[in-house]
Amino acid sequence: MARICPLFSSSSGNSTYIDTPNGGFLVDAGASFKNIVQAVTAAGCDFSDLRAVAVTHEHSDHIAGLKTVLKKTGVPLIASPQTLETLAAADKIPAETVTIPAEAETLDLVGVGITHIPTSHDCVGSGGYSFTLPDGRRIAVCTDLGVVTDAVRTALTGCSAVLIESNHDVSMLQRGPYPPSLKMRILSEMGHLSNVACATELPALLKSGTTRFILGHLSQKNNLPMLALSTAKASLADAGAEFGKDYLLNVARPNGNEVVLL
């Protein structure tokens, strides 16, 4: 059995645990080591099974606990070459940590294929990840992207489960308290994916075989879980899909999330 466990998901901190028959993989470490261990345990997983940490990019809400996690576990770090360089320069990687550059080819770690998915975000080398399980099924985690590129769309196609960004409601963002420069950044192609932009992608993913969707990285100021859910469900309903029958849909809260079984 494999599970995807969104441990933390918000602008304050992000971390997802992928539990496979061959071990666990942590995507980002945007919370303290203690809180990550507690969250993994609460999800019914054994943190001692951790095999690697895969980092999407260097923003603080994704790496706050990274150095401690690496130091205490001794597992390797996977990230794009650019992200590894940035993290090293910021002293976020313990000297003894084995680093594995994630480039175009799929990595094989303990029988699990790990593929880096380049994303459009405002830092060099950002990306999501897909994990190919021993039975051939795939799980993907893809947030922090201003636009869904053809490369992202191709990488997500055919995944059994996808955690995808549904960051903001455009109207809430435009009316909200952020300064104009930050609003422009979020709305840009190097920013974050809106509810509508996310929802637009879901019918094609469903058609390709994705039956489990998790909406992640929701803004706590510019979005509401019910808005993200209703927008996604409406898009899938327009495609003739029925919630609970053709697909499952969850919203990842800042913490204390449900485990999604494959």
Side-chain angles (χ1 to χ4, degrees), residues 63-130:
I63 65 161
L66 177 64
K67 189 170 184 178
T68 305
V69 170
L70 294 173
K71 193 162 189 174
K72 287 186 175 291
T73 63
V75 299
L77 169 64
I78 300 169
S80 70
Q82 301 95 325
T83 299
L84 287 175
E85 183 178 351
T86 302
L87 293 173
D91 191 29
K92 298 296 183 182
I93 307 175
E96 64 273 17
T97 297
V98 173
T99 58
I100 304 175
E103 300 185 271
E105 71 280 3
T106 296
L107 304 168
D108 186 294
L109 207 61
V110 297
V112 175
I114 305 170
T115 306
H116 183 260
I117 307 168
T119 55
S120 177
H121 198 44
D122 59 350
C123 59
V124 179
S126 68
Y129 290 93
S130 71

Side-chain angles (χ1 to χ4, degrees), residues 21-45:
N22 293 16
F25 299 88
L26 192 67
V27 180
D28 291 331
S32 70
F33 174 76
K34 178 182 178 181
N35 287 341
I36 289 173
V37 173
Q38 289 178 341
V40 169
T41 303
C45 303

